Amino acid sequence: MLTGAGISAESGVPTFRDAQTGLWAKYRAEELATPEAFLENPRLVWDWYVWRRQLTAQARPNPGHFALVELAKRVTDFTLVTQNVDGLHARAGSRDVIELHGNIELDVCFDEGTPVGAGEYRDDGSVPPRCARCGAYVRPGVVWFGESLPRRALDRAEAAVGSCELVLSIGTSSLVQPAAGLPLLAKRHGALLVEVNPNPTPLTPHADYVLSGPAGEVLPELVRAL
Ligand code: BJW
Protein backbone atom coordinates (compact mmCIF):
# COMPACT_ATOMS: atom_id res chain seq x y z
CA MET A 1 0.00 0.00 0.00
CA LEU A 2 1.14 3.52 -0.70
CA THR A 3 -0.68 6.26 1.18
CA GLY A 4 -0.70 10.03 0.91
CA ALA A 5 -2.23 13.01 2.65
CA GLY A 6 -5.77 12.10 1.52
CA ILE A 7 -5.98 9.23 4.01
CA SER A 8 -5.55 11.71 6.86
CA ALA A 9 -7.96 14.29 5.44
CA GLU A 10 -10.85 12.72 7.36
CA SER A 11 -8.79 13.07 10.56
CA GLY A 12 -8.75 16.82 10.01
CA VAL A 13 -5.16 17.03 8.72
CA PRO A 14 -5.22 19.25 5.61
CA THR A 15 -3.85 17.61 2.47
CA PHE A 16 -0.69 19.07 1.09
CA ARG A 17 -2.28 20.68 -1.91
CA ASP A 18 -5.35 22.02 -0.11
CA ALA A 19 -5.41 25.79 0.00
CA GLN A 20 -3.68 26.96 3.19
CA THR A 21 -5.78 28.69 5.81
CA GLY A 22 -5.37 31.41 8.44
CA LEU A 23 -1.87 32.77 8.89
CA TRP A 24 -0.59 30.61 6.07
CA ALA A 25 -3.20 31.51 3.45
CA LYS A 26 -0.77 33.60 1.45
CA TYR A 27 1.76 30.79 1.07
CA ARG A 28 1.68 27.60 -0.97
CA ALA A 29 2.80 24.58 1.03
CA GLU A 30 5.28 23.77 -1.73
CA GLU A 31 6.97 27.12 -1.09
CA LEU A 32 7.48 26.39 2.61
CA ALA A 33 8.65 22.77 2.41
CA THR A 34 12.10 23.42 0.98
CA PRO A 35 15.57 23.89 2.50
CA GLU A 36 15.81 27.20 0.61
CA ALA A 37 12.65 28.52 2.31
CA PHE A 38 14.01 27.50 5.70
CA LEU A 39 17.38 29.18 5.07
CA GLU A 40 15.67 32.33 3.83
CA ASN A 41 13.11 32.58 6.63
CA PRO A 42 13.73 29.95 9.33
CA ARG A 43 11.23 31.48 11.73
CA LEU A 44 8.37 31.41 9.20
CA VAL A 45 8.97 27.80 8.22
CA TRP A 46 9.52 26.71 11.83
CA ASP A 47 6.27 28.38 12.94
CA TRP A 48 4.41 26.63 10.10
CA TYR A 49 5.65 23.30 11.43
CA VAL A 50 4.78 24.24 15.02
CA TRP A 51 1.21 24.86 13.82
CA ARG A 52 1.12 21.61 11.84
CA ARG A 53 2.57 19.67 14.77
CA GLN A 54 -0.28 20.93 16.91
CA LEU A 55 -2.78 19.83 14.26
CA THR A 56 -1.34 16.33 13.93
CA ALA A 57 -0.96 15.92 17.70
CA GLN A 58 -4.69 16.62 18.11
CA ALA A 59 -5.74 14.43 15.15
CA ARG A 60 -7.00 10.90 15.65
CA PRO A 61 -6.69 8.03 13.16
CA ASN A 62 -9.87 7.55 11.11
CA PRO A 63 -11.63 4.44 9.72
CA GLY A 64 -9.30 4.47 6.69
CA HIS A 65 -6.22 4.07 8.91
CA PHE A 66 -7.94 1.36 10.96
CA ALA A 67 -9.05 -0.52 7.83
CA LEU A 68 -5.38 -0.87 6.80
CA VAL A 69 -4.56 -2.34 10.23
CA GLU A 70 -7.32 -4.90 9.64
CA LEU A 71 -6.21 -5.58 6.06
CA ALA A 72 -2.68 -6.32 7.26
CA LYS A 73 -4.07 -9.10 9.48
CA ARG A 74 -5.78 -10.75 6.52
CA VAL A 75 -2.90 -10.67 4.05
CA THR A 76 0.19 -12.85 4.36
CA ASP A 77 2.71 -10.30 3.20
CA PHE A 78 1.63 -6.70 3.71
CA THR A 79 3.79 -3.61 3.41
CA LEU A 80 2.57 -0.14 4.27
CA VAL A 81 4.51 2.69 2.65
CA THR A 82 3.44 6.22 3.45
CA GLN A 83 4.37 9.69 2.27
CA ASN A 84 2.68 11.10 5.37
CA VAL A 85 4.67 12.59 8.20
CA ASP A 86 1.78 12.63 10.69
CA GLY A 87 2.38 9.24 12.33
CA LEU A 88 -1.34 8.39 12.19
CA HIS A 89 -0.81 4.91 10.70
CA ALA A 90 1.35 3.91 13.67
CA ARG A 91 -1.13 5.47 16.09
CA ALA A 92 -3.90 3.41 14.46
CA GLY A 93 -1.85 0.27 15.17
CA SER A 94 -0.07 -0.37 11.85
CA ARG A 95 3.34 -1.93 12.42
CA ASP A 96 6.60 -1.36 10.62
CA VAL A 97 5.32 1.58 8.56
CA ILE A 98 7.79 2.76 5.93
CA GLU A 99 7.87 6.56 6.20
CA LEU A 100 9.30 7.90 2.95
CA HIS A 101 9.15 11.58 3.91
CA GLY A 102 10.14 11.33 7.57
CA ASN A 103 8.11 12.21 10.64
CA ILE A 104 6.96 15.64 11.73
CA GLU A 105 7.53 14.85 15.42
CA LEU A 106 11.28 14.52 15.00
CA ASP A 107 13.80 17.34 15.23
CA VAL A 108 17.12 17.16 13.43
CA CYS A 109 20.12 19.45 13.22
CA PHE A 110 20.06 21.37 9.92
CA ASP A 111 23.84 21.06 9.45
CA GLU A 112 24.57 17.61 10.89
CA GLY A 113 21.32 15.91 9.83
CA THR A 114 21.30 14.00 13.13
CA PRO A 115 18.38 13.77 15.57
CA VAL A 116 18.18 16.40 18.30
CA GLY A 117 16.53 15.14 21.48
CA ALA A 118 15.75 16.43 24.94
CA GLY A 119 18.76 18.21 26.46
CA GLU A 120 20.42 18.71 23.08
CA TYR A 121 18.98 22.17 22.35
CA ARG A 122 21.04 25.29 23.00
CA ASP A 123 19.45 27.13 25.89
CA ASP A 124 19.30 30.60 24.31
CA GLY A 125 15.59 31.04 23.51
CA SER A 126 16.26 31.04 19.76
CA VAL A 127 13.36 30.31 17.37
CA PRO A 128 13.92 27.93 15.68
CA PRO A 129 15.95 26.40 18.47
CA ARG A 130 19.63 25.72 17.91
CA CYS A 131 21.57 22.48 18.20
CA ALA A 132 23.64 22.43 21.40
CA ARG A 133 26.47 20.53 19.66
CA CYS A 134 27.14 22.85 16.72
CA GLY A 135 24.82 25.88 17.05
CA ALA A 136 23.03 25.29 13.72
CA TYR A 137 19.26 25.61 13.55
CA VAL A 138 17.10 22.64 14.43
CA ARG A 139 14.58 21.65 11.72
CA PRO A 140 11.76 19.12 11.46
CA GLY A 141 12.82 15.59 10.52
CA VAL A 142 10.94 15.56 7.23
CA VAL A 143 12.06 15.35 3.60
CA TRP A 144 11.79 18.62 1.72
CA PHE A 145 11.79 19.13 -2.04
CA GLY A 146 15.23 18.62 -3.52
CA GLU A 147 16.33 16.43 -0.60
CA SER A 148 17.00 12.70 -0.79
CA LEU A 149 14.59 10.26 0.75
CA PRO A 150 15.94 8.06 3.59
CA ARG A 151 17.88 5.35 1.71
CA ARG A 152 16.68 2.40 3.77
CA ALA A 153 13.01 3.44 3.53
CA LEU A 154 13.21 3.87 -0.24
CA ASP A 155 15.09 0.57 -0.69
CA ARG A 156 12.46 -1.28 1.34
CA ALA A 157 9.61 0.37 -0.57
CA GLU A 158 11.19 -0.47 -3.93
CA ALA A 159 11.78 -4.07 -2.87
CA ALA A 160 8.13 -4.39 -1.82
CA VAL A 161 6.72 -3.01 -5.08
CA GLY A 162 9.13 -5.17 -7.05
CA SER A 163 7.56 -8.35 -5.73
CA CYS A 164 3.94 -7.61 -4.76
CA GLU A 165 0.81 -8.94 -6.43
CA LEU A 166 -1.41 -5.99 -5.59
CA VAL A 167 -0.67 -2.34 -4.95
CA LEU A 168 -3.17 0.15 -3.55
CA SER A 169 -2.45 3.83 -4.07
CA ILE A 170 -4.52 5.67 -1.50
CA GLY A 171 -5.14 9.40 -1.10
CA THR A 172 -2.19 10.71 -3.03
CA SER A 173 -2.08 13.16 -5.92
CA SER A 174 0.70 11.01 -7.44
CA LEU A 175 2.65 14.14 -8.29
CA VAL A 176 5.69 13.89 -6.05
CA GLN A 177 8.60 11.69 -7.07
CA PRO A 178 10.02 9.19 -6.36
CA ALA A 179 6.96 8.02 -4.34
CA ALA A 180 4.59 8.58 -7.28
CA GLY A 181 6.59 6.12 -9.38
CA LEU A 182 6.22 3.23 -6.93
CA PRO A 183 2.74 2.00 -7.99
CA LEU A 184 3.81 2.09 -11.64
CA LEU A 185 6.93 0.11 -10.77
CA ALA A 186 4.70 -2.49 -9.11
CA LYS A 187 2.50 -2.63 -12.19
CA ARG A 188 5.52 -3.11 -14.45
CA HIS A 189 6.40 -6.11 -12.25
CA GLY A 190 2.94 -7.57 -12.85
CA ALA A 191 0.98 -6.28 -9.83
CA LEU A 192 -2.66 -5.28 -10.02
CA LEU A 193 -2.98 -1.54 -9.41
CA VAL A 194 -5.93 -0.12 -7.48
CA GLU A 195 -6.37 3.57 -6.77
CA VAL A 196 -8.49 4.96 -3.92
CA ASN A 197 -9.17 8.67 -4.35
CA PRO A 198 -12.27 10.86 -4.76
CA ASN A 199 -10.45 12.77 -7.53
CA PRO A 200 -8.58 11.67 -10.65
CA THR A 201 -4.77 11.82 -10.62
CA PRO A 202 -2.04 11.21 -13.19
CA LEU A 203 -2.06 7.58 -11.96
CA THR A 204 -5.76 7.05 -12.72
CA PRO A 205 -5.34 6.03 -16.40
CA HIS A 206 -2.86 3.33 -15.32
CA ALA A 207 -5.04 1.85 -12.58
CA ASP A 208 -6.75 -1.52 -13.12
CA TYR A 209 -9.49 -0.45 -10.70
CA VAL A 210 -10.40 2.98 -9.38
CA LEU A 211 -12.35 3.14 -6.13
CA SER A 212 -13.56 6.68 -6.30
CA GLY A 213 -14.41 8.01 -2.85
CA PRO A 214 -12.96 9.02 0.52
CA ALA A 215 -10.52 6.49 1.98
CA GLY A 216 -12.40 6.51 5.31
CA GLU A 217 -15.43 5.04 3.54
CA VAL A 218 -13.90 3.01 0.70
CA LEU A 219 -11.28 1.11 2.75
CA PRO A 220 -13.61 -0.18 5.49
CA GLU A 221 -16.01 -1.29 2.73
CA LEU A 222 -13.16 -3.08 0.98
CA VAL A 223 -12.24 -4.90 4.20
CA ARG A 224 -15.88 -5.85 4.80
CA ALA A 225 -16.08 -7.26 1.27
CA LEU A 226 -13.06 -9.55 1.82
C1 BJW B 1 -8.44 11.90 -0.59
C2 BJW B 1 -9.30 12.31 0.39
C3 BJW B 1 -9.91 11.29 1.09
C4 BJW B 1 -8.54 14.07 -0.46
N1 BJW B 1 -9.65 10.02 0.81
N2 BJW B 1 -8.18 10.63 -0.86
C5 BJW B 1 11.33 13.34 -11.30
C6 BJW B 1 10.62 14.16 -12.15
C7 BJW B 1 10.28 15.47 -11.78
C8 BJW B 1 10.66 15.97 -10.54
C9 BJW B 1 11.36 15.15 -9.70
C10 BJW B 1 11.69 13.86 -10.07
N3 BJW B 1 12.37 13.29 -9.04
C11 BJW B 1 12.45 14.19 -8.03
C12 BJW B 1 11.86 15.33 -8.42
C13 BJW B 1 11.72 16.56 -7.60
C14 BJW B 1 10.66 16.48 -6.54
C15 BJW B 1 9.30 16.27 -7.20
O1 BJW B 1 8.72 15.21 -7.20
N4 BJW B 1 8.74 17.33 -7.74
C16 BJW B 1 7.43 17.25 -8.39
C17 BJW B 1 6.40 18.01 -7.55
C18 BJW B 1 7.56 17.79 -9.77
N5 BJW B 1 10.95 15.42 -5.59
C19 BJW B 1 11.83 15.60 -4.62
O2 BJW B 1 12.44 16.65 -4.51
C20 BJW B 1 12.08 14.44 -3.67
N6 BJW B 1 13.48 14.23 -3.56
C21 BJW B 1 14.18 13.55 -4.45
O3 BJW B 1 13.67 12.92 -5.34
O4 BJW B 1 15.55 13.64 -4.27
C22 BJW B 1 16.38 13.36 -5.38
C23 BJW B 1 16.19 14.44 -6.45
C24 BJW B 1 16.05 15.76 -6.09
C25 BJW B 1 15.85 16.76 -7.07
C26 BJW B 1 15.76 16.38 -8.41
C27 BJW B 1 15.88 15.05 -8.76
C28 BJW B 1 16.10 14.06 -7.76
C29 BJW B 1 11.62 14.78 -2.27
C30 BJW B 1 10.16 14.93 -2.18
C31 BJW B 1 9.80 15.36 -0.76
C32 BJW B 1 8.34 15.68 -0.62
N7 BJW B 1 8.14 16.31 0.63
C33 BJW B 1 6.79 16.71 1.00
C34 BJW B 1 6.87 17.53 2.30
C35 BJW B 1 7.08 16.63 3.51
C36 BJW B 1 7.17 17.42 4.77
C37 BJW B 1 5.87 18.09 5.15
O5 BJW B 1 4.81 17.47 5.24
O6 BJW B 1 5.94 19.29 5.40
O7 BJW B 1 5.97 15.55 1.16
S1 BJW B 1 5.96 17.62 -0.29
C38 BJW B 1 4.38 16.92 -0.01
O8 BJW B 1 3.96 16.16 -1.16
C39 BJW B 1 4.56 15.92 1.14
C40 BJW B 1 3.71 14.78 0.69
O9 BJW B 1 4.12 13.59 1.32
C41 BJW B 1 3.94 14.77 -0.81
C42 BJW B 1 2.85 14.08 -1.59
O10 BJW B 1 1.63 14.71 -1.41
P1 BJW B 1 0.32 13.80 -1.31
O11 BJW B 1 0.41 12.94 -0.13
O12 BJW B 1 0.09 13.15 -2.61
O13 BJW B 1 -0.79 14.90 -0.98
P2 BJW B 1 -1.56 15.88 -1.95
O14 BJW B 1 -2.07 16.99 -1.13
O15 BJW B 1 -0.76 16.24 -3.13
O16 BJW B 1 -2.78 15.02 -2.51
C43 BJW B 1 -3.81 14.58 -1.66
C44 BJW B 1 -4.67 13.62 -2.45
O17 BJW B 1 -5.65 13.11 -1.56
C45 BJW B 1 -5.45 14.28 -3.60
O18 BJW B 1 -5.31 13.48 -4.77
C46 BJW B 1 -6.90 14.27 -3.12
O19 BJW B 1 -7.83 14.07 -4.20
C47 BJW B 1 -6.90 13.08 -2.22
N8 BJW B 1 -7.91 13.10 -1.17
N9 BJW B 1 -9.32 13.71 0.40
C48 BJW B 1 -8.77 9.75 -0.21
N10 BJW B 1 -10.81 11.60 2.07
Side-chain angles (χ1 to χ4, degrees), residues 91-141:
R91 279 158 61 192
S94 284
R95 301 222 183 115
D96 205 16
V97 182
I98 300 177
E99 295 182 318
L100 290 179
H101 295 162
N103 191 300
I104 200 166
E105 287 303 312
L106 300 175
D107 277 342
V108 298
C109 170
F110 188 89
D111 283 358
E112 300 167 320
T114 47
V116 179
E120 295 176 328
Y121 299 86
R122 188 174 276 186
D123 189 15
D124 63 358
S126 152
V127 181
R130 290 183 181 274
C131 167
R133 285 184 298 269
C134 73
Y137 279 131
V138 167
R139 55 162 285 181

Side-chain angles (χ1 to χ4, degrees), residues 20 59 62-63 69 71 74 79 91 103 107-108 135 163 166 171 187 195-196 206 208 212:
Q20 300 256 70
N62 68 58
V69 179
L71 199 57
R74 307 208 189 173
T79 307
R91 279 158 61 192
N103 191 300
D107 277 342
V108 298
S163 63
L166 169 72
K187 193 170 161 84
E195 184 178 51
V196 178
H206 304 277
D208 296 296
S212 181

Side-chain angles (χ1 to χ4, degrees), residues 149-218:
L149 275 62
R151 189 68 255 172
R152 186 173 137 74
L154 189 57
D155 284 350
R156 289 184 63 210
E158 285 174 346
V161 294
S163 63
C164 67
E165 291 171 16
L166 169 72
V167 60
L168 259 75
S169 175
I170 304 162
T172 172
S173 57
S174 297
L175 291 171
V176 175
Q177 299 292 348
L182 293 172
L184 290 172
L185 196 59
K187 193 170 161 84
R188 273 204 293 282
H189 283 275
L192 198 74
L193 168 53
V194 179
E195 184 178 51
V196 178
N197 200 312
N199 301 303
T201 75
L203 189 70
T204 309
H206 304 277
D208 296 296
Y209 296 95
V210 177
L211 304 178
S212 181
E217 293 173 22
V218 170

Side-chain angles (χ1 to χ4, degrees), residues 5 10 16-17 49 52 101 143 146-147 172-173 177 197 199 215:
E10 290 152 90
F16 213 78
R17 282 160 191 86
Y49 279 94
R52 289 182 54 213
H101 295 162
V143 182
E147 295 184 321
T172 172
S173 57
Q177 299 292 348
N197 200 312
N199 301 303

